[in-house]
Every structure is written in structure tokens, then in C-alpha cells.
Amino acid sequence: MFYCIYLNIIFFLVFLLHLDQVYNWIWKKGIHSFDLMTNISKELRSFLELNFEINRVKFDISQKSIDGTIKNSVRLNDNNLIEAVLIPTNNRKTACVSSQVGCSLNCEFCATSKMKIIRNLKKEEIFDQVFLMNKQSLNLYNKPLTNIVFMGMGEPLLNYNNVIAAVNKIMDPSFLGFSSSRITISTSGIPKFIKKLADDGVKTRLAISLHSAREEIRKKIMPFTTKIPLNTLKESLVYWQSRNKKKLTLEYIVFDSINDLKEDIYALIEFCKGLRVKLNLIEYNPIENGVFKNANNKAIELYKKELMKYKITVTIRKSRGKDINAACGQLVNKSRKFF
Ligand code: SAH
């Protein structure tokens, strides 16, 4: 017995000497098994296999949309599932990443909010989604990821520390070496954390899911904003832009009979004053039991025309991956296998 303890201590000390190699296999080459770490002795590999576990996330099912979008159902070590979406176009390979299992916010038009919050993702679970989609993109298109958007399941700013730790690793030149301008954190608008991003010098892009600049309407479609008045949100955005020179993106769905009037447009123009923004008018993606509808083209064109009068950059965004429920707001583990 003493011999056994003694041997294990020796192996553990040898393991410490090889920590760098093990780390490189796991984090740079994405290896999930000690057995495949060929530059480490067989004896040490067996010792590691017996005594340690590599907790990486795994792609469970991957579905492909007719437009090429790939929705990956990602299994976590505790068997929870999340979704991570790869959006390929000619010149971009974008990874849409989740930050929580479920979501604690209650945006009425979003499928993820209906599943409620289960837990925050760990920083490794966030990094792994990017790591695996980078591999997937290299395998399928011979090209690495070009962009990362935190627009999957969950509210990234309510899992601030883990999201920022993952972002730092994604940007670290010895890992993926991403530039901050190719990473976008999308938030429903949590002022305290928007200010924290500025104070912490986080240089990524920021997108705000605004959807209405009229208090009473926003409260109806995003009830949690009852506690976050628009002027508090705006103040935090002005603060963010005083520290980060990038343009802000405002995400905005024009819903039929909800925010498709001229007064909605003027409220939005007023909100944009004093901010450097670009506006993405995004298509509403239908969700199960959803009561919302896209506004007609005339209303959307009117938004565009009026905003352009004020020199606000406007893009009308068509959604991708709708046929497999992979589009914005549709992520709710529908491809889930029950076990
Ligand atoms: N919680 C974060 C990120 C997840 S949602 C946020 O709110 O920004 C990513 C984007 O999808 C947000 O702009 C969100 O408002 C939008 N979205 C949610 N449900 C949608 C739906 N059914 N159709 C289109 N976009 C939706």
C-alpha cells in the first residue's frame, strides 16, 4: 500500500512537470482524451486517465439549415444542453455563442426566455463552444471563424465574469488570437454591467436589444425593463461610448401593431441623439405559441427612410437558420434528445 501511495506521488510530480504539454493538448489542440497525448509517456497517460477527467463540452446533434446555418446542440458535463450556431457566408464565418442555460429575463418574443434560467455557463463552457465551432468551420470550409456574437441562449452581462474570462481567452494570441472588434456582446441592456464593461476596458463591440424607445411599449414586450428606465439605459450607453470609441449596434424588431407607428420612429431617433449608433432592423423569428408578427414592408421602409434623414446607419437584416429554429430568439433546445 505504501508503495502504491509513493508511486502515485511520483506520478503526480511527473505530471506537474508535464503540465504545459497537457495544457497545450487540451486547450490548443482540443484533445478530449489523455490517451491521445502522444508526447507524454504511456505510464503517465494511464495515471492521468485513472485519476483525472477532462471536462470538455461535446456537440450532440448538428443540424444544417437550407441557407447553410448549422445549429449545434451542445452537451455539458452535467448533461444540460445549450445551443451554439455557426453562420457561414462567403466572407464570414460567425459563431453565435450561448452564455447561460436558459435565461432569467422575460422578453415576450424570445423562445429562450420561456425555458427560464437553469444556470450560468462556466468560462470553459463558453470558450469551448467557440473552440469547437472554429474546428467545425476549418473542417467544413477550410476557414477559421471570423466573428463571434454573444447572441445565443442567455443574457451575457448577467454572467459577466465568466463571459469576460472566456472573451479574454478567445483574444489571447496563444489561444484563438481574436481581435476585440470581431467580438460582439449582445445585451438586453443592463446598465450596471454596461458601465462595468467600460470601466474594465473591455474593447469588444456592444449590441443593445432595444426593440422600442417608448417606455410603455418596452415594458410590455420586455417586462424586466420596468426596473430599468430608458434614460438609465441611455446614460450607461453614453458612459460606455466615452470609454470605447466603437459604434454601438441597436437591435430592433419592428412588430406589427406594437412599434410600427411614426411616434415609435421619432422616439427611436430621440434615443439615438448623443450616441454613435448603427441600427439593425431585424426580422422577427416566429416562436412556439408566439403572438407577435413582423410589421409589413411599408412600415420597415418608413423606419429606414426616417432614420436615414438623421444620418443614422440602418441595415435591414434577414434572419438565417429559421427552418431549423436556429435564428435569433429561437434557441430553446428543440433538437434535444431525451435521455
Ligand atoms: N440576451 C441577449 C442575447 C440573446 S438574444 C440580448 O437580449 O441581446 C439575441 C438577439 O435576438 C437579441 O437582439 C434579441 O432581442 C433577439 N431576439 C430574441 N427573440 C427574437 C425573435 N423571436 N426574433 C428575432 N430576434 C429575436
Side-chain angles (χ1 to χ4, degrees), residues 81-315:
L81 289 171
I82 50 157
E83 292 180 329
V85 182
L86 175 63
I87 308 159
T89 61
N90 280 346
N91 45 16
R92 281 184 184 204
K93 306 286 173 257
T94 303
C96 175
V97 178
S98 292
S99 54
Q100 297 181 308
V101 187
C103 187
S104 61
L105 302 181
N106 50 8
C107 306
E108 299 284 0
F109 45 83
C110 177
T112 313
S113 77
K114 309 290 174 205
M115 81 182 259
K116 308 295 174 209
I117 184 78
I118 297 177
R119 68 169 174 86
N120 277 340
L121 290 185
K122 299 176 193 158
K123 58 180 189 290
E124 298 83 10
E125 293 169 331
I126 299 169
F127 178 82
D128 268 4
Q129 295 172 63
V130 178
F131 186 88
L132 291 177
M133 280 192 278
N134 193 48
K135 248 172 120 174
Q136 188 173 47
S137 179
L138 283 165
N139 284 343
L140 294 173
Y141 312 106
N142 227 354
K143 301 226 165 75
L145 292 178
T146 57
N147 296 72
I148 296 165
V149 293
F150 280 85
M151 293 189 185
M153 293 163 82
E155 168 49 53
L157 293 191
L158 292 181
N159 185 13
Y160 185 94
N161 289 342
N162 292 343
V163 165
I164 300 308
V167 163
N168 287 336
K169 200 158 183 167
I170 292 164
M171 289 179 15
D172 185 333
S174 64
F175 289 96
L176 294 175
F178 251 78
S179 120
S180 58
S181 59
R182 292 193 172 269
I183 304 175
T184 303
I185 296 180
S186 175
T187 172
S188 295
I190 317 287
K192 178 175 144 194
F193 289 110
I194 292 172
K195 286 186 170 170
K196 187 163 167 54
L197 284 172
D199 288 338
D200 292 347
V202 178
K203 294 294 177 217
T204 60
R205 294 187 182 279
L206 186 62
I208 306 296
S209 303
L210 189 66
H211 305 307
S212 176
R214 288 173 65 196
E215 206 79 77
E216 65 282 12
I217 310 269
R218 199 161 190 259
K219 270 185 211 161
K220 249 190 221 158
I221 58 176
M222 302 168 78
F224 75 92
T225 64
T226 307
K227 293 194 195 115
I228 307 174
L230 278 162
N231 58 3
T232 312
L233 173 61
K234 178 154 177 187
E235 189 225 324
S236 71
L237 298 178
V238 171
Y239 185 80
W240 183 86
Q241 276 200 322
S242 70
R243 313 269 160 125
N244 190 327
K245 298 295 160 224
K246 294 188 173 80
K247 260 191 179 178
L248 267 172
T249 302
L250 298 181
E251 295 162 282
Y252 199 102
I253 307 172
V254 187
F255 294 105
D256 180 53
S257 309
I258 290 180
N259 57 358
D260 56 356
L261 300 176
K262 274 205 166 164
E263 55 202 281
D264 295 294
I265 304 177
Y266 297 139
L268 177 58
I269 291 168
E270 198 52 41
F271 186 85
C272 291
K273 283 185 186 155
L275 294 170
R276 282 169 289 110
V277 297
K278 58 178 184 166
L279 215 110
N280 280 350
L281 294 178
I282 57 182
E283 203 182 333
Y284 167 65
N285 302 309
I287 63 166
E288 220 165 71
N289 304 321
V291 292
F292 295 91
K293 260 173 54 193
N294 269 309
N296 58 34
N297 283 343
K298 213 171 130 201
I300 296 170
E301 285 303 328
L302 185 63
Y303 257 92
K304 186 166 178 184
K305 195 172 125 211
E306 293 297 317
L307 288 161
M308 282 170 64
K309 277 191 200 161
Y310 288 83
K311 309 257 176 299
I312 298 169
T313 316
V314 191
T315 313

Side-chain angles (χ1 to χ4, degrees), residues 17-30:
L17 290 175
H18 288 78
L19 211 54
D20 253 14
Q21 276 150 292
V22 175
Y23 196 77
N24 279 343
W25 279 108
I26 298 180
W27 288 109
K28 294 190 185 158
K29 298 191 177 137

